[in-house]
Amino acid sequence: MTHSRLFSIRAVLLAAVGVTAFSMAAQAQVVSRESDIVSLRLGQRIQVDDGSCPTGQIKEVTGTTLTPDGVARSSKCVPRVVRK
């Protein structure tokens, strides 16, 4: 194989890995109780399906800021997205 052909194959494989990683990161983790969240990273979003939000919404817990005690959390109700 020529050098340019190998480069093209590597570029396609790298793009495929990037798209896969991005799509997996875009999917939020869903737990049934907020106490099920053991560790939360800065910027991470976890959805909590505990029934505390109105119909059609789900609680989203986000790691907002870094404090001396760890990552501070905030939560809000967001529209529930139906995944196929």
Side-chain angles (χ1 to χ4, degrees):
M1 280 190 198
T2 65
H3 178 66
S4 62
R5 177 92 171 128
L6 285 175
F7 179 76
S8 296
I9 291 171
R10 287 182 184 166
V12 169
L13 289 175
L14 184 59
V17 169
V19 168
T20 303
F22 179 74
S23 66
M24 289 175 66
Q27 296 176 356
Q29 181 181 357
V30 179
V31 296
S32 58
R33 298 177 308 215
E34 195 166 347
S35 62
D36 292 339
I37 303 172
V38 179
S39 64
L40 188 66
R41 295 184 309 272
L42 193 60
Q44 183 180 12
R45 298 168 189 260
I46 297 180
Q47 293 181 340
V48 181
D49 193 5
D50 62 0
S52 63
C53 290
T55 302
Q57 295 187 347
I58 191 167
K59 184 193 301 182
E60 184 176 77
V61 178
T62 306
T64 55
T65 56
L66 194 55
T67 68
D69 297 327
V71 177
R73 301 175 176 197
S74 71
S75 63
K76 63 181 177 180
C77 293
V78 297
R80 183 183 296 269
V81 177
V82 178
R83 294 188 178 108
K84 294 183 181 182

